Amino acid sequence: MRSARISFLAVVTAGAGLVGFIGVFADWFSLAYEVSGTKVVLDFYGTADGTGAIAVAASLGALMFGCAYMLLQDPQIRRITALLMVLSSVTLLVVSVIGFTRVDEAIGAPNPFLPGVEGEARYTATVAIGLGISFLAGIIATVASVLLVSRREAGVEEDPPVDSV
């Protein structure tokens, strides 16, 4: 017997929200430079920048609203949580995209041309794997939540009957 409340798309959105949250803390940015022939690499969580802090909230929102959509029975509340899932998912996607453009601002990589920095100092500021993870999670969560809302509006996905107590 299949439960009418458990929606595959809500499960996907909640799972993608969890993966997006993990991605924020799996290093969004990386700074590498060489000192005395030794390569030094510094990794930064997504929360080193404001985009990462927003991504934490958005990913937790997608996770929590996806779970709430599955747990709650009231049709009006399920509709609101579905719309909030979309909002959280789109926010996660947008701030992840913006994170790709904010590498230098987030890390504050030292300028090798400043006085006191000797000759061939090479600093490389790049994105790390966590930003890609959060970006992919944002894509998956956005697609799943938008499909869920469109299926609800088309009448394909119906609310479960409310149990009378």
Side-chain angles (χ1 to χ4, degrees):
M1 181 173 161
R2 183 175 174 257
S3 174
R5 273 194 295 181
I6 304 298
S7 168
F8 173 73
L9 294 172
V11 171
V12 170
T13 302
L18 178 62
V19 171
F21 178 78
I22 292 169
V24 173
F25 295 102
D27 300 332
W28 267 27
F29 308 111
S30 180
L31 175 68
Y33 60 95
E34 197 166 319
V35 175
S36 302
T38 304
K39 186 174 183 178
V40 177
V41 178
L42 303 172
D43 293 319
F44 298 88
Y45 290 157
T47 55
D49 186 42
T51 56
I54 295 169
V56 168
S59 61
L60 286 176
L63 171 64
M64 295 303 140
F65 292 127
C67 292
Y69 184 85
M70 291 181 281
L71 294 175
L72 300 173
Q73 293 182 358
D74 185 80
Q76 286 87 12
I77 294 176
R78 283 175 62 101
R79 183 176 182 177
I80 290 170
T81 57
L83 295 174
L84 290 171
M85 269 194 298
V86 171
L87 181 66
S88 298
S89 301
V90 169
T91 303
L92 175 61
L93 178 61
V94 168
V95 296
S96 296
V97 168
I98 293 171
F100 282 106
T101 65
R102 294 196 39 86
V103 177
D104 290 331
E105 292 87 0
I107 295 175
N111 186 347
F113 301 108
L114 289 174
V117 176
E118 296 182 20
E120 293 286 325
R122 300 270 186 236
Y123 298 93
T124 306
T126 60
V127 298
I129 188 73
L131 185 56
I133 290 170
S134 294
F135 174 70
L136 287 176
I139 290 173
I140 293 169
T142 301
V143 168
S145 61
V146 167
L147 281 175
L148 179 85
V149 168
S150 66
R151 288 174 56 102
R152 280 186 58 83
E153 295 302 317
V156 176
E157 178 130 350
E158 298 178 7
D159 292 314
V162 178
D163 297 335
S164 59
V165 181

